PDB file of all heavy atoms in Angstrom:
ATOM      1  N   VAL I1452     -15.251  10.108  19.094  1.00  0.00           N
ATOM      2  CA  VAL I1452     -15.100   8.836  19.805  1.00  0.00           C
ATOM      3  C   VAL I1452     -13.642   8.748  20.226  1.00  0.00           C
ATOM      4  O   VAL I1452     -12.742   9.009  19.412  1.00  0.00           O
ATOM      5  CB  VAL I1452     -15.463   7.639  18.897  1.00  0.00           C
ATOM      6  CG1 VAL I1452     -15.001   6.325  19.524  1.00  0.00           C
ATOM      7  CG2 VAL I1452     -16.959   7.605  18.629  1.00  0.00           C
ATOM      8  N   TYR I1453     -13.380   8.402  21.483  1.00  0.00           N
ATOM      9  CA  TYR I1453     -12.013   8.350  22.002  1.00  0.00           C
ATOM     10  C   TYR I1453     -11.606   6.910  22.283  1.00  0.00           C
ATOM     11  O   TYR I1453     -12.424   6.098  22.733  1.00  0.00           O
ATOM     12  CB  TYR I1453     -11.898   9.169  23.291  1.00  0.00           C
ATOM     13  CG  TYR I1453     -12.231  10.631  23.100  1.00  0.00           C
ATOM     14  CD1 TYR I1453     -13.531  11.090  23.246  1.00  0.00           C
ATOM     15  CD2 TYR I1453     -11.253  11.558  22.742  1.00  0.00           C
ATOM     16  CE1 TYR I1453     -13.861  12.433  23.061  1.00  0.00           C
ATOM     17  CE2 TYR I1453     -11.555  12.896  22.555  1.00  0.00           C
ATOM     18  CZ  TYR I1453     -12.868  13.324  22.709  1.00  0.00           C
ATOM     19  OH  TYR I1453     -13.186  14.641  22.519  1.00  0.00           O
ATOM     20  N   LEU I1454     -10.329   6.597  22.050  1.00  0.00           N
ATOM     21  CA  LEU I1454      -9.820   5.264  22.345  1.00  0.00           C
ATOM     22  C   LEU I1454      -8.376   5.351  22.811  1.00  0.00           C
ATOM     23  O   LEU I1454      -7.587   6.146  22.294  1.00  0.00           O
ATOM     24  CB  LEU I1454      -9.930   4.354  21.123  1.00  0.00           C
ATOM     25  CG  LEU I1454      -9.227   4.780  19.840  1.00  0.00           C
ATOM     26  CD1 LEU I1454      -8.625   3.577  19.124  1.00  0.00           C
ATOM     27  CD2 LEU I1454     -10.202   5.485  18.899  1.00  0.00           C
ATOM     28  N   ARG I1455      -8.050   4.532  23.818  1.00  0.00           N
ATOM     29  CA  ARG I1455      -6.679   4.468  24.318  1.00  0.00           C
ATOM     30  C   ARG I1455      -5.938   3.389  23.542  1.00  0.00           C
ATOM     31  O   ARG I1455      -6.361   2.236  23.482  1.00  0.00           O
ATOM     32  CB  ARG I1455      -6.681   4.145  25.809  1.00  0.00           C
ATOM     33  CG  ARG I1455      -5.300   4.131  26.455  1.00  0.00           C
ATOM     34  CD  ARG I1455      -4.666   5.503  26.513  1.00  0.00           C
ATOM     35  NE  ARG I1455      -5.410   6.420  27.366  1.00  0.00           N
ATOM     36  CZ  ARG I1455      -5.057   7.695  27.563  1.00  0.00           C
ATOM     37  NH1 ARG I1455      -4.001   8.205  26.940  1.00  0.00           N
ATOM     38  NH2 ARG I1455      -5.784   8.470  28.351  1.00  0.00           N
ATOM     39  N   THR I1456      -4.826   3.753  22.932  1.00  0.00           N
ATOM     40  CA  THR I1456      -4.053   2.805  22.134  1.00  0.00           C
ATOM     41  C   THR I1456      -3.098   2.015  23.024  1.00  0.00           C
ATOM     42  O   THR I1456      -2.767   2.442  24.127  1.00  0.00           O
ATOM     43  CB  THR I1456      -3.229   3.551  21.071  1.00  0.00           C
ATOM     44  OG1 THR I1456      -2.189   4.307  21.729  1.00  0.00           O
ATOM     45  CG2 THR I1456      -4.106   4.490  20.248  1.00  0.00           C
ATOM     46  N   PRO I1457      -2.622   0.855  22.545  1.00  0.00           N
ATOM     47  CA  PRO I1457      -1.664   0.091  23.349  1.00  0.00           C
ATOM     48  C   PRO I1457      -0.331   0.803  23.529  1.00  0.00           C
ATOM     49  O   PRO I1457       0.429   0.451  24.440  1.00  0.00           O
ATOM     50  CB  PRO I1457      -1.504  -1.217  22.566  1.00  0.00           C
ATOM     51  CG  PRO I1457      -1.936  -0.891  21.179  1.00  0.00           C
ATOM     52  CD  PRO I1457      -3.003   0.149  21.319  1.00  0.00           C
ATOM     53  N   GLY I1458      -0.045   1.798  22.694  1.00  0.00           N
ATOM     54  CA  GLY I1458       1.154   2.608  22.871  1.00  0.00           C
ATOM     55  C   GLY I1458       0.953   3.750  23.840  1.00  0.00           C
ATOM     56  O   GLY I1458       1.852   4.570  24.042  1.00  0.00           O
ATOM     57  N   GLY I1459      -0.252   3.837  24.445  1.00  0.00           N
ATOM     58  CA  GLY I1459      -0.521   4.845  25.461  1.00  0.00           C
ATOM     59  C   GLY I1459      -1.174   6.102  24.929  1.00  0.00           C
ATOM     60  O   GLY I1459      -1.935   6.751  25.641  1.00  0.00           O
ATOM     61  N   ALA I1460      -0.896   6.489  23.685  1.00  0.00           N
ATOM     62  CA  ALA I1460      -1.471   7.718  23.140  1.00  0.00           C
ATOM     63  C   ALA I1460      -2.988   7.602  23.057  1.00  0.00           C
ATOM     64  O   ALA I1460      -3.518   6.539  22.698  1.00  0.00           O
ATOM     65  CB  ALA I1460      -0.886   8.008  21.760  1.00  0.00           C
ATOM     66  N   LEU I1461      -3.683   8.700  23.381  1.00  0.00           N
ATOM     67  CA  LEU I1461      -5.130   8.753  23.226  1.00  0.00           C
ATOM     68  C   LEU I1461      -5.448   9.207  21.806  1.00  0.00           C
ATOM     69  O   LEU I1461      -4.972  10.259  21.366  1.00  0.00           O
ATOM     70  CB  LEU I1461      -5.733   9.728  24.239  1.00  0.00           C
ATOM     71  CG  LEU I1461      -7.266   9.820  24.248  1.00  0.00           C
ATOM     72  CD1 LEU I1461      -7.890   8.499  24.681  1.00  0.00           C
ATOM     73  CD2 LEU I1461      -7.722  10.956  25.164  1.00  0.00           C
ATOM     74  N   PHE I1462      -6.219   8.401  21.088  1.00  0.00           N
ATOM     75  CA  PHE I1462      -6.650   8.724  19.739  1.00  0.00           C
ATOM     76  C   PHE I1462      -8.137   9.068  19.758  1.00  0.00           C
ATOM     77  O   PHE I1462      -8.881   8.650  20.643  1.00  0.00           O
ATOM     78  CB  PHE I1462      -6.413   7.556  18.785  1.00  0.00           C
ATOM     79  CG  PHE I1462      -4.979   7.395  18.322  1.00  0.00           C
ATOM     80  CD1 PHE I1462      -3.965   8.235  18.763  1.00  0.00           C
ATOM     81  CD2 PHE I1462      -4.647   6.374  17.437  1.00  0.00           C
ATOM     82  CE1 PHE I1462      -2.651   8.076  18.337  1.00  0.00           C
ATOM     83  CE2 PHE I1462      -3.338   6.208  16.996  1.00  0.00           C
ATOM     84  CZ  PHE I1462      -2.342   7.055  17.447  1.00  0.00           C
ATOM     85  N   GLU I1463      -8.561   9.822  18.761  1.00  0.00           N
ATOM     86  CA  GLU I1463      -9.957  10.220  18.616  1.00  0.00           C
ATOM     87  C   GLU I1463     -10.373  10.013  17.167  1.00  0.00           C
ATOM     88  O   GLU I1463      -9.579  10.246  16.251  1.00  0.00           O
ATOM     89  CB  GLU I1463     -10.122  11.699  19.009  1.00  0.00           C
ATOM     90  CG  GLU I1463     -11.504  12.278  18.781  1.00  0.00           C
ATOM     91  CD  GLU I1463     -11.565  13.774  19.076  1.00  0.00           C
ATOM     92  OE1 GLU I1463     -10.695  14.290  19.803  1.00  0.00           O
ATOM     93  OE2 GLU I1463     -12.494  14.429  18.552  1.00  0.00           O
ATOM     94  N   LEU I1464     -11.593   9.561  16.975  1.00  0.00           N
ATOM     95  CA  LEU I1464     -12.204   9.470  15.652  1.00  0.00           C
ATOM     96  C   LEU I1464     -13.238  10.577  15.576  1.00  0.00           C
ATOM     97  O   LEU I1464     -14.211  10.576  16.333  1.00  0.00           O
ATOM     98  CB  LEU I1464     -12.864   8.103  15.463  1.00  0.00           C
ATOM     99  CG  LEU I1464     -11.996   6.873  15.757  1.00  0.00           C
ATOM    100  CD1 LEU I1464     -12.834   5.604  15.707  1.00  0.00           C
ATOM    101  CD2 LEU I1464     -10.825   6.786  14.789  1.00  0.00           C
ATOM    102  N   ALA I1465     -13.055  11.535  14.678  1.00  0.00           N
ATOM    103  CA  ALA I1465     -13.899  12.736  14.664  1.00  0.00           C
ATOM    104  C   ALA I1465     -14.417  13.022  13.264  1.00  0.00           C
ATOM    105  O   ALA I1465     -13.773  12.708  12.261  1.00  0.00           O
ATOM    106  CB  ALA I1465     -13.112  13.943  15.172  1.00  0.00           C
TER     107      ALA I1465
END
Side-chain angles (χ1 to χ4, degrees):
V1452 167
Y1453 299 90
L1454 58 142
R1455 183 68 64 181
T1456 69
L1461 184 65
F1462 282 1
E1463 175 185 339
L1464 308 172

